[in-house]
Amino acid sequence: MKKRMRKKVEKQADFIQKVEVFLIGNSLQTKCHIKTKEQHPPYKFAFYVYKKGRLEAVAKSQYTKFDTNQVQLTEGGEYFVKVFVKNDETNEVTTKISQPVQKTLIVDI
């Protein structure tokens, strides 16, 4: 890999520091932590929720200024979130995928 390309890839990987995913009831909640020192950063966030075994996202959000997202889950299974962070000034998009989280359905018999 060329040095210039390697630096760009490392820069993008470091920009999104962490993607937290957790379940509260039937809600899958996501929080994206980015590395910025600006008080009012020019970034927008989009969240795509995927279920293991499916190629298409089960939920997609539009770009918003909020670094959090919430989706109601109706099925059990393993889910993960792909976060897109867009710089409004340069239109550069950085992505990061969360760790998977398991949604278990409890059924009374």
Side-chain angles (χ1 to χ4, degrees), residues 19-23 28-31 79-81 98-99 101:
V19 177
E20 290 182 291
V21 179
F22 48 95
L23 289 165
L28 177 68
Q29 298 187 1
T30 308
K31 167 82 172 156
Y79 293 87
F80 64 92
V81 180
S98 73
Q99 292 294 317
V101 64

Side-chain angles (χ1 to χ4, degrees), residues 10-23:
E10 288 172 2
K11 180 182 173 190
Q12 287 183 345
D14 291 340
F15 176 69
I16 299 176
Q17 295 178 320
K18 180 171 47 169
V19 177
E20 290 182 291
V21 179
F22 48 95
L23 289 165

Side-chain angles (χ1 to χ4, degrees), residues 28-58:
L28 177 68
Q29 298 187 1
T30 308
K31 167 82 172 156
C32 179
H33 299 271
I34 62 173
K35 182 188 246 181
T36 182
K37 295 178 181 174
E38 300 172 33
Q39 188 171 358
H40 299 287
Y43 301 107
K44 289 192 177 171
F45 303 84
F47 300 86
Y48 284 26
V49 178
Y50 292 89
K51 183 176 180 186
K52 186 176 180 182
R54 293 194 187 163
L55 295 177
E56 292 291 320
V58 296

Side-chain angles (χ1 to χ4, degrees), residues 41-101:
Y43 301 107
K44 289 192 177 171
F45 303 84
F47 300 86
Y48 284 26
V49 178
Y50 292 89
K51 183 176 180 186
K52 186 176 180 182
R54 293 194 187 163
L55 295 177
E56 292 291 320
V58 296
K60 297 179 181 180
S61 76
Q62 299 292 322
Y63 277 102
T64 67
K65 63 180 180 176
F66 302 108
D67 61 357
T68 59
N69 186 54
Q70 180 173 318
V71 174
Q72 294 297 316
L73 301 179
T74 57
E75 301 176 357
E78 188 174 88
Y79 293 87
F80 64 92
V81 180
K82 184 172 186 179
V83 178
F84 299 83
V85 181
K86 180 180 176 184
N87 184 320
D88 280 343
E89 295 172 351
T90 65
N91 282 332
E92 182 179 358
V93 176
T94 306
T95 64
K96 187 162 188 160
I97 297 174
S98 73
Q99 292 294 317
V101 64

